[in-house]
Amino acid sequence: MPRIALLVQYVGTEFHGWQSQPGQRTVQGVLEGAIGQVTGEPVTVTGAGRTDTGVHAAGQVAHFDAPHRIPPERWAVILNGVLPADVLVRASVPVPEDWHARFSARWRRYRYCLYTERMNNVFTAPFCWHYYYADLDVGLMQAALEPLLGRQHLGAFHRSRSGREHSWVEVQAVACWRQDAWVYIEVQANAFLYGMMRLLVGMLVEVGRGWRSVAEFTRLWQEERRQEVTYAAPARGLTLLGVGYPEALFPAVRMPTAMPLWGEKIR
């Protein structure tokens, strides 16, 4: 059976995460149901990452073994005809039978968005944490992110109930910046721990407010003081931007950058 890779976008608001769970609406379950509706046969869809409940994706990658020899590039069009409005397949391509959406990946990149005006914005509310309680110093937040670069043991940002046996992560890029009323945090790593980004953002906000110094934030994760990491940022502000592989999987597709950077002027 030919193996097909999919480039998938979804709004996570009404999903109980990526992974199939009995009695819950999940992205994996919806995709498997759509493919089964087309083929009349059950299939398993494997994703590059398991996003949590309420988390969005602009460039999730998944694969499945097609039971019918439909031209690979046609799968995106066919599936979009039966998928619900909050899931979209941007592209579909053939891949080798030993290629794996999760294990072949070299990096994942997430973006977190905060909206800081006192009155919320109805258009961006589903995709941002409305944080209007105090100004955030993005310079301090960026300074706190930079020591994370490299291979680090991030057990301080690792939730329990994870099936992963260790907390080692290779952090490849970090960024924090303000654009008008929006504050953005991006992290790229070879892999992400269960709950890592939301726990990390929750602690970065304490740095941005001046409640915790950059040095104290760094000591906290270096000393693995997990008991002090008590708050996770809301899921709605988090988006999986993309997944990287040694080869360009979707060269004809302009890779998405999630929702627009909201402060940008329309050109």
Side-chain angles (χ1 to χ4, degrees):
M1 293 188 292
R3 179 159 290 190
I4 307 298
L6 305 175
L7 179 61
V8 185
Q9 290 183 318
Y10 49 88
V11 176
T13 308
E14 301 299 327
F15 285 106
H16 201 79
W18 164 268
Q19 188 173 6
S20 291
Q21 300 178 55
Q24 301 289 350
R25 184 176 188 255
T26 69
V27 182
Q28 182 185 16
V30 165
L31 284 169
E32 290 176 349
I35 296 169
Q37 184 177 339
V38 172
T39 65
E41 300 180 43
V43 299
T44 298
V45 176
T46 301
R50 298 175 179 178
T51 51
D52 294 340
T53 298
V55 175
H56 318 291
Q60 172 73 285
V61 177
H63 79 260
F64 71 99
D65 294 324
H68 291 268
R69 292 196 174 276
I70 294 171
E73 67 279 0
R74 289 286 300 161
W75 275 105
V77 175
I78 292 169
L79 290 177
N80 287 334
V82 296
L83 283 168
D86 49 1
V87 186
L88 178 75
V89 178
R90 285 178 57 90
S92 54
V93 297
V95 289
E97 63 179 15
D98 62 348
W99 186 92
H100 197 282
R102 179 183 175 190
F103 298 126
S104 299
R106 295 295 178 266
W107 55 262
R108 288 91 171 154
R109 191 175 184 100
Y110 279 88
R111 174 188 293 164
Y112 198 93
C113 177
L114 301 96
Y115 182 67
T116 61
E117 283 192 357
R118 180 158 295 278
M119 185 63 69
N120 206 352
N121 185 320
V122 70
F123 294 107
T124 64
F127 308 104
C128 301
W129 179 11
H130 183 208
Y131 196 92
Y132 57 90
Y133 311 103
D135 289 335
L136 296 173
D137 188 324
V138 295
L140 289 176
M141 294 165 74
Q142 174 68 28
L145 281 169
E146 288 172 359
L148 289 164
L149 290 168
R151 189 170 186 266
Q152 311 291 358
H153 196 269
L154 298 179
F157 304 122
H158 195 173
R159 277 182 163 173
S160 59
R161 303 189 309 277
S162 170
R164 185 166 174 168
E165 296 179 354
H166 63 83
S167 300
W168 288 102
V169 175
E170 180 193 341
V171 180
Q172 301 165 347
V174 294
C176 179
W177 73 100
R178 178 184 294 276
Q179 197 156 336
D180 296 337
W182 291 268
V183 171
Y184 298 99
I185 299 162
E186 288 191 13
V187 178
Q188 179 176 305
N190 67 325
F192 282 78
L193 307 172
Y194 176 44
M196 172 179 154
M197 271 298 291
R198 291 174 59 198
L199 290 170
L200 176 62
V201 171
M203 296 304 295
L204 280 175
V205 164
E206 293 191 4
V207 175
R209 288 196 66 168
W211 290 350
R212 192 181 296 268
S213 70
V214 172
E216 172 63 13
F217 174 87
T218 303
R219 284 195 299 271
L220 182 148
W221 63 261
Q222 288 179 341
E223 296 170 3
E224 300 183 40
R225 286 149 44 192
R226 176 66 182 86
Q227 71 279 4
E228 295 183 34
V229 183
T230 58
Y231 186 76
R236 63 182 173 273
L238 185 59
T239 298
L240 173 60
L241 288 187
V243 185
Y245 297 89
E247 70 286 355
L249 275 184
F250 308 100
V253 179
R254 182 178 180 272
M255 288 301 291
T257 58
M259 298 73 63
L261 296 173
W262 298 110
E264 285 183 331
K265 294 180 180 178
I266 298 175
R267 293 178 176 85

